[in-house]
Structures are given as structure tokens and as C-alpha cells.
Amino acid sequence: IAEMTAMAEGEPNPEVFLYGEEDFVLQAAGWGDPDSAPSRFDRLLLAGWSDRMERGLFRYRLGPLPTRVLPGPVRLVAQLNEKRSSERRPPQPVRSLRDPFDPGAFNFTRLRPAELLFRLRRTGGPGPPPDPLLVAINASPLGRGHVLLLPEPARRLPQVLTAPVLRGALEAALLSGHPGFRVGFNGLGGGASVNHLHMHGLYLDRPLPLEEAPAEALGPRLGLLRAGPAPAFLFFAPDPAALEPVSRAVCRAAEHLGGAGLACNVLAARGDPPAGPGAGGDRGLRVLLWARRPVFGPKAGEPFVVALCELAGLLPLPAEPLYRDITEMQALSAIRQHLLPEPELLHLGGELAWLLEH
């Protein structure tokens, strides 16, 4: 069901995608044929995205991306995307974790009307609805169907995650029938390039180890996942009813990290319960929260920026020689220099487990 609605004065009127709980895809397609059962959400998003690509609304034309798995136990996925490095808008300078919204810098109130695909709005269901989210193209895409998920741009919110926005993004993840549709967030100091609240939606064409590896229990609602290149705190939503408490828990934990001077990244993906695939229980949404040292400004000598994709094990690389020659050891070294030492990570995990139960 779609309708048209008016937005804030002076803004375009994108199509509204109304959805209810009956639209959630509880069992996505399998990896053997991930495009076999596209949902209403997938069809509208990908058709709009392809239309905008044909109309030249992106900063570059995205062709097939060379991809290889780096030899080694972590199985990092390297992908060559030279145009994203050379053609994208320079990242906005960030000076602190608490930078206010800057109306003079690029922000999403400046998007062209044609860059907006549709607006997500839930009808019915338990509890208060999440924030309606605009789905817009990412003009410098990482891959086919890479979109931005935006709360009302006119609110001019800084890049600090809120529970109603996260919940809307998690619901978007369940609207897709593709097993590789993931949603994510880069915080200030954690690779965010625009200080205006937004999340990413990405179709990735392969499973990631962190979607099924077992986690160590830190508390009733929190685990520590060591799969992949960087340990992450794991939250799990077994069904749509759990999205609201999980969203609040993740944002409470992220707020605690900010208070401790740490940046964060978040990724939500379909996956197994925290105990892993052999422990029983149906798949749901895994929500991973990474705590890391903040980075302000580019660092000389780094082979790539470390944001949510890199922490999850996907390396979009800017140059062919780097893509061809990088080793797992080199990539892990670049990623792990931003992480916390083990004792500090475990102490932080204990703090978060206590916080979430009180």
C-alpha cells in the first residue's frame, strides 16, 4: 500500500511506504538464491535505486566490483571501489564526539528531491511507532541498493543514535526478503562523514561469520562476539516485539560509550541466537555495537578508513594495488589499532551488562 503525503514546507513529497507487522519477512531467502523472493520493500527500493542510477543522480556509475576473500582464518572480504574513493564528497571535519549540527556544512536538507526514494511509516502494531524514515540514495554507493535511512531532515539532528531511529532501521531490515540486507550506523569519530543523523542500508552478497558465531554471555541481554576482525557487543531480537527494547538497550549502551570518550559503530543483520546455530532457537536480528577509539580527521599512512563495514569484515578498498596485495595481517593491524585493549574491553562489557539490568 502506498500513498502520497506532505512533508515539511519546502521539501519534496516522496511516496510513503506504509507497512505493518504483516509485512515483516521473518524468514528471508536463502543464500543459494538470495534474490528469489524479493519483498515489496526490496522491489520498490531496488527499482527506485536503479532508476536514479540510469538518470545519473549518483556521483559515479557503479559497475561490477572486483571481490576476493583474503587468505587467512578471519576470511576478510576485500572489494575494489576506486570511484567511491575518488568521487565521493570529502568527509565533514569532526572535532569531538559532541559536535553540534552545523547548518553551514553539507547536510541532508540539501538533498535533491529525486534523491529521495520513499518514506517508511509503520501503521498499527504494539507500542509507539518508530520515527518515520526517509529512504534516499547514497550518492557514493558501496554497492547496488546502498541507501540512507533518515529521520526528518528538517529536525537537524546531529549524528547521535536515538532509539526511535534505530528501531525504524531494524524494522526496515525485517521488511527485506534478502538475507544480506543489513542496516548500520557510523558514529562521530567512528567514520561518520556527515554530522546529520542517518543510518545506512546495504545489500551485501555473502554471509558474514559474525552472523552465526556464538557469543560469550556478559549478562541476560548482552554478549561479546569475537568473530570477525573486531570484538563487538551483541544484542539479539528474536522477533519483532523485541525490536523496541533492543533499540533502547543499544542506544543506552552507545550513550555510555560516548560518556566514556569512545566512538561507536552499529550493524544489524539477520543471524542466529547468541549461543550460535547449534543451540536451538530461530534466527532473528543480531545487533552489534563496536566500541573504539575515536578518530578525528584523516590519519596519514592508513590504508583505509575503519567504519562499520571494515569492523564487520568487508573492506571497500580505494586502489587496485592495495586490493591486489593487502594481506589479512595488514588489514587486521589497520583495524585493530582503533580498538580497546582486552582488559579495558572486558571492564566496559561488565559496565554495560550492569547498566542494562538497572
Side-chain angles (χ1 to χ4, degrees), residues 97-98 251-264 348:
L97 297 174
R98 302 186 185 280
C251 289
R252 195 173 182 198
E255 183 180 17
H256 183 79
L257 298 188
L262 298 171
C264 73
L348 179 62

Side-chain angles (χ1 to χ4, degrees), residues 18-293:
L18 289 177
Y19 68 93
E21 284 194 275
E22 68 277 6
D23 291 296
F24 292 141
V25 181
L26 302 183
Q27 183 66 47
W31 281 108
D33 188 5
D35 295 309
S36 62
S39 67
R40 186 166 65 96
F41 170 85
D42 296 317
R43 291 194 298 270
L44 187 61
L45 188 158
L46 292 170
W49 193 93
S50 297
D51 169 73
R52 278 29 170 219
M53 180 62 74
E54 290 303 315
R55 288 160 58 184
L57 291 170
F58 290 80
R59 286 179 164 256
Y60 48 85
R61 190 161 188 85
L62 191 72
L65 298 172
T67 302
R68 73 183 186 98
V69 177
L70 303 188
V74 182
R75 307 284 295 165
L76 296 172
V77 178
Q79 199 163 64
L80 178 61
N81 192 338
E82 294 175 293
K83 288 186 176 179
R84 177 173 167 83
S85 173
S86 61
E87 304 293 335
R88 69 181 298 197
R89 181 184 297 106
Q92 193 172 321
V94 175
R95 296 168 295 277
S96 80
L97 297 174
R98 302 186 185 280
D99 271 8
F101 176 85
D102 179 1
F106 172 80
N107 61 76
F108 299 121
T109 66
R110 303 183 185 182
L111 291 179
R112 295 169 290 177
E115 293 181 75
L116 305 178
L117 301 181
F118 52 91
R119 186 181 187 186
L120 286 171
R121 195 171 79 208
R122 201 192 74 197
T123 60
D131 280 0
L133 297 179
L134 281 166
V135 180
I137 64 169
N138 187 319
S140 301
L142 284 163
R144 181 184 74 115
H146 183 185
V147 293
L148 301 172
L149 304 172
L150 311 170
E152 186 60 67
R155 293 167 64 189
R156 300 186 170 199
L157 299 171
Q159 183 69 348
V160 177
L161 194 58
T162 68
V165 169
L166 176 58
R167 184 177 169 203
L170 297 184
E171 291 191 355
L174 288 186
L175 290 173
S176 173
H178 192 288
F181 184 73
R182 286 99 170 191
V183 297
F185 172 83
N186 293 319
L188 295 178
S193 60
V194 178
N195 185 13
H196 193 182
L197 184 52
H198 65 287
M199 293 188 66
H200 294 267
L202 290 161
Y203 288 88
L204 303 180
D205 62 1
R206 64 185 66 221
L208 298 171
L210 50 76
E211 292 164 0
E212 64 174 22
E216 304 165 22
L218 298 177
R221 295 188 290 163
L222 185 69
L224 180 64
L225 186 68
R226 296 183 182 274
F233 297 112
L234 175 64
F235 303 77
F236 184 69
D239 52 49
L243 298 182
E244 198 268 338
V246 163
S247 298
R248 283 191 285 108
V250 171
C251 289
R252 195 173 182 198
E255 183 180 17
H256 183 79
L257 298 188
L262 298 171
C264 73
N265 302 83
V266 175
L267 177 73
R270 293 180 186 268
D272 289 295
D282 293 331
R283 287 168 66 85
L285 274 187
R286 284 188 166 200
V287 185
L288 294 104
L289 173 69
W290 286 277
R292 38 92 61 87
R293 305 281 186 216

